[in-house]
Amino acid sequence: MPAKGVLVAETADVVIAGGGVIGTAIAWRAAAAGLDVVLVDPDHGDAASLVAAGMLAPVSEALFGEGALLRINLLAVRRFPSFAAELEDVTGRHVGLRREGTLAVAYDPGDYAALMRLTAFRRSAGLDAEERDSRACRQLESFLTPDVHGGVLFAGDWSVDNRRYAAALREAMAAAKVRIVRDRVTGALVRDGRARGVRLADGGSIDSAVVVIAAGCWSGAVAGLPGTVRAAVRPVKGQLLRLRHPEGMAPVITHTIRATVRGTDIYLVPRADGEMIVGATQEERGPDRTVTAGAVHDLLHDAMSVLPVTSELILAETCAGLRPGTPDNGPIVGGFGVDGLLLATGHYRNGILMSPVTADAIVAGLTGQRPAAEWGPFSPRRFIAGPADGD
Ligand SMILES: Cc1cc2nc3c(=O)[nH]c(=O)nc-3n(C[C@H](O)[C@H](O)[C@H](O)COP(=O)(O)OP(=O)(O)OC[C@H]3O[C@@H](n4cnc5c(N)ncnc54)[C@H](O)[C@@H]3O)c2cc1C
């Protein structure tokens, strides 16, 4: 990998800006399809992909008014196992896919009424939802407090260990001969209505006929995109905790638990290696990635309210990441009228889930095939109001 500060003058079929799960999934699949790929990222350690909880949760993420998002999330969850199996095959690494489902629990009667309204909506969309009373919830998860009012099992939700998954993607991409440049893309180079490559922060450039901007919440900082598209991506801060079981203690949960505690939502996600994730805040604070005492307190307080045994686990890590949010909560994937200039960003709360289908959609476009029809509503064109900014 060239060190930062080294001028790079390369050529490639495809340049990808961004090495989170979206950029690396695209890079791996594009290289596997026979394309010569360069991926540029200054430091993937900043990626939201490494902070995420790893839920693959089309059902418990289904909210009123987000029908198109539900359809793409359902496509994504169906695709995930075959994509993960191929990744495990290529790398010999386990990515920690779990299929136990999500148990959504409500702490008090008000929380339960809200859960029931959402459950009716999810059923009306054809999704599986099994209601459980408080006792039946505890038969599934014995450490839940008896105070839990009731719950619903959403069997269609899964999870993956996103850090293992991201590491496997990086390994698969390297094995597929993707070249990695440690730098920042400052702009897409566009001439005569065509992408020509990218400009780098160190002053170098890379020539290519295809440029994919997959820089997560930072995608709007890349020059050469229409101003309205750049403005459409914003960071949405999420703080999250990683807890570990003390030596010899059996895992305290087996399902992902989503709990509403007096109107506040939290989730607890079990990992095969004995971690339990507790998340997450959702904050409009621009690029701030600090971890606050208040967030740690609130997450632990709500987790202990529904699962008191949480207090016995080890607080292994606190972290904060930036989800790439958009005005309609949907991803921004595809082209917008400049030949060869593509976007793959704005995946907000579901970027881990959507990474395989995003790679499929972009690689379909690069190899002359049609992306799945579910992508129709998520074109960048929905945000375009004027001509592209100068690059
Ligand atoms: C607390 C939290 C919990 C979450 N939980 C889940 C979950 O359970 N399930 C789920 O599916 N999703 C979840 N998400 C969302 C998910 O993490 C994101 O949607 C996803 O990681 C976005 O991936 P990405 O590759 O687009 O962006 P990122 O992972 O943020 O990666 C972007 C990369 O681009 C690089 N970059 C930035 N600027 C440039 C540039 N100019 N040039 C080149 N590279 C650049 C960065 O260094 C970074 O490596 C969660 C997010 C958070 C914060």
Side-chain angles (χ1 to χ4, degrees), residues 17-23 40-44 46-49 51-55 183-185 214-216 218 222 238-240 267 280 321-324 347-353:
V21 290
I22 299 295
V40 185
D41 193 317
D43 179 5
H44 68 257
D46 288 342
S49 302
V51 174
M55 292 177 292
D183 205 336
R184 191 164 52 82
V185 168
W218 299 276
V222 177
Q239 301 188 55
L240 174 148
Y267 51 71
L322 300 174
R323 306 173 184 90
H347 294 80
Y348 191 32
R349 302 187 309 254
N350 295 299
I352 307 296
L353 168 63

Side-chain angles (χ1 to χ4, degrees), residues 71-112:
R71 285 188 285 282
I72 196 74
N73 281 342
L74 287 171
L75 180 76
V77 82
R78 285 196 297 272
R79 171 67 169 115
F80 211 95
S82 60
F83 188 89
E86 188 173 347
L87 189 58
E88 289 184 339
D89 228 36
V90 165
T91 60
R93 285 174 176 262
H94 285 292
V95 299
L97 186 63
R98 300 186 62 140
R99 306 188 196 216
E100 289 92 345
T102 297
L103 179 63
V105 297
Y107 189 72
D108 68 18
D111 298 330
Y112 190 69

